[in-house]
Amino acid sequence: MKKFMKSLLLLMVFLLVFSTSAFAKSENAKPFLVALGDSIPYGYNLGQTNASPSQEAFPYLMGKEADLRVRNLGVPGATTEDLLDALKNDQKYRQAVRHSDYITLNIGNNDLLRALGRAAEESENDEKKFEYLLQKYINESGVFTNLQQIIMEIERLTDSPVIIYNIYNPFDKNDFKERELHVIAERILPGLNVINRMAIQFR
């Protein structure tokens, strides 16, 4: 009887170890999605706190839908310059991209936001001056050159497909203080996104 119980116990331990190992292997075998960008992939203000990326952010929703592991490297406030620097110098980013199966890229919104803010502040309600300053600050931000270099750096690290999202309108049309900027952004964003796509296509 003791021999039987000992054999049964060993069998149970074996099955437990085997099943745990198999489960871990199954989890690790899932395709790996890496989300790069700013507060949009981070899911800023979608959770109870902003201490970590929200599970309601779109990369996690994609992961649930497609049964993917997700590494969310979105950073609220990040610009194209910030992300480019991280991809070149931060091993956390470089290793994540190297091991990715899919990548989402949502960046450039804060570059535009800063350019719009500076132009609006300095133009003193002069529309022609505003448009001149806006173009000036967008060019100075290096957003399109940075985006080209971001794509090139990703391609040096992996051959995973990259999903690139358009620059969105960061201003709230229902907010009195932001309404005018929302209208301006709506006017210029289609052209900026065309340039954005061309910059990527001809990198």
Side-chain angles (χ1 to χ4, degrees):
M1 183 67 176
K2 288 183 178 180
K3 186 175 181 181
F4 172 76
M5 292 299 294
K6 185 177 181 180
S7 299
L8 182 60
L9 181 60
L10 287 172
L11 178 61
M12 290 175 65
V13 170
F14 172 78
L15 290 174
L16 178 62
V17 171
F18 178 79
S19 61
T20 302
S21 175
F23 176 77
K25 185 176 181 181
S26 175
E27 283 295 302
N28 291 332
K30 289 182 179 180
F32 187 31
L33 170 67
V34 175
L36 302 173
D38 50 31
S39 59
I40 299 302
Y42 187 90
Y44 194 79
N45 283 342
L46 291 182
Q48 293 183 345
T49 72
N50 289 312
S52 60
S54 170
Q55 293 296 311
E56 298 303 315
F58 79 82
Y60 293 113
L61 300 181
M62 292 173 67
K64 290 177 184 177
E65 183 69 23
D67 196 25
L68 307 172
R69 290 180 296 144
V70 176
R71 181 74 183 278
N72 192 332
L73 294 176
V75 177
T79 64
T80 54
E81 184 178 2
D82 296 328
L83 180 56
L84 180 59
D85 180 68
L87 287 168
K88 287 184 174 181
N89 301 304
D90 191 329
Q91 287 303 313
K92 176 177 69 175
Y93 282 77
R94 294 178 67 81
Q95 290 301 320
V97 170
R98 281 195 182 104
H99 292 96
S100 68
D101 293 292
Y102 304 98
I103 294 173
T104 63
L105 178 60
N106 193 312
I107 197 72
N109 305 305
N110 290 304
D111 302 70
L112 173 62
L113 189 61
R114 293 181 185 184
L116 279 167
R118 288 185 67 185
E121 183 179 349
E122 297 174 19
S123 61
E124 301 173 336
N125 296 320
D126 184 323
E127 186 173 346
K128 289 185 178 180
K129 185 177 181 181
F130 172 81
E131 291 182 359
Y132 166 77
L133 289 172
L134 178 59
Q135 190 62 54
K136 176 177 182 288
Y137 292 138
I138 288 175
N139 291 337
E140 287 180 359
S141 74
V143 57
F144 301 118
T145 301
N146 289 342
L147 186 57
Q148 284 181 305
Q149 293 184 34
I150 285 169
I151 300 298
M152 291 172 66
E153 193 62 34
I154 290 172
E155 289 180 339
R156 290 189 188 102
L157 296 169
T158 183
D159 59 359
S160 299
V162 182
I163 302 170
I164 303 172
Y165 290 85
N166 281 345
I167 298 173
Y168 77 107
N169 191 332
F171 299 105
D172 185 356
K173 66 180 179 181
N174 297 315
D175 186 314
F176 176 77
K177 294 180 180 179
E178 296 186 3
R179 191 176 301 157
E180 186 175 349
L181 288 174
H182 177 89
V183 172
I184 294 169
E186 284 294 292
R187 190 173 74 240
I188 67 172
L189 276 175
L192 286 177
N193 281 319
V194 168
I195 296 171
N196 192 5
R197 288 192 292 273
M198 290 175 64
I200 296 166
Q201 182 178 355
F202 295 106
R203 64 187 182 277

